[in-house]
Every structure is written in C-alpha cells, then in structure tokens.
C-alpha cells in the first residue's frame, strides 16, 4: 500500500534524524505497526522491542509492549 510505504519512509527519517528525541519513540512505535500492516511480523517486533529498550517508561514503550503482546 502506497500510504503505508510513505508512512514507513517518514517514520524512518524521524528515527534517523532525531534518534534521542521523544518523537523518535513514537515514530519507532508507529513503524512497528506499519511493518505489521505490511505483513512483516519480524520487522514489526524488532521495532516494537527497540522502543521498549531505548525508551523505557514512555507511553510509546507501554503501547509497543501491548501491541507486541498481540503479535505473539
């Protein structure tokens, strides 16, 4: 899907340009969702797990944990 590809590109840019910014945690979480919607479960879990590791205690980490639990 074209919109998912554009979203993936945008979220990847945020993570690359602002790796420690709070927006990066949200972008990483959303990237996990996009990969899941694209059918790449492994890549989705990779990003969801990274959010939980790199941004412990944030809303994005909590949401990523819940989303990842649904994928297992």
């Amino acid at each position: 899907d074209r919109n998912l590809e554009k979203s993936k590109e945008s979220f990847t840019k945020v993570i690359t340009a602002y790796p420690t910014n709070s927006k990066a945690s949200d972008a990483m979480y959303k990237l996990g969702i996009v990969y899941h919607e694209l059918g790449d479960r492994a890549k989705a879990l990779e990003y969801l797990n990274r959010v939980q590791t790199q941004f412990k205690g944030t809303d994005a980490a909590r949401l990523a944990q819940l989303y990842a639990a649904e994928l297992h």
Side-chain angles (χ1 to χ4, degrees):
D1 181 299
R2 187 161 156 62
N3 288 337
L4 287 175
E5 288 298 330
K6 285 186 84 142
S7 295
K8 184 173 82 173
E9 213 174 277
S10 297
F11 296 140
T12 301
K13 282 181 185 173
V14 171
I15 293 167
T16 304
Y18 311 101
T20 59
N21 187 295
S22 63
K23 291 191 186 319
S25 62
D26 292 335
M28 204 174 281
Y29 165 63
K30 290 174 184 170
L31 199 51
I33 294 171
V34 167
Y35 272 109
H36 178 239
E37 290 179 5
L38 287 169
D40 191 339
R41 188 175 164 276
K43 201 76 163 162
L45 285 169
E46 178 188 323
Y47 279 102
L48 294 169
N49 290 332
R50 276 181 63 189
V51 176
Q52 294 172 68
T53 303
Q54 289 181 238
F55 300 97
K56 275 187 168 87
T58 64
D59 286 343
R62 194 172 66 255
L63 292 169
Q65 183 178 14
L66 294 171
Y67 198 92
E70 302 272 324
L71 298 183
H72 285 292

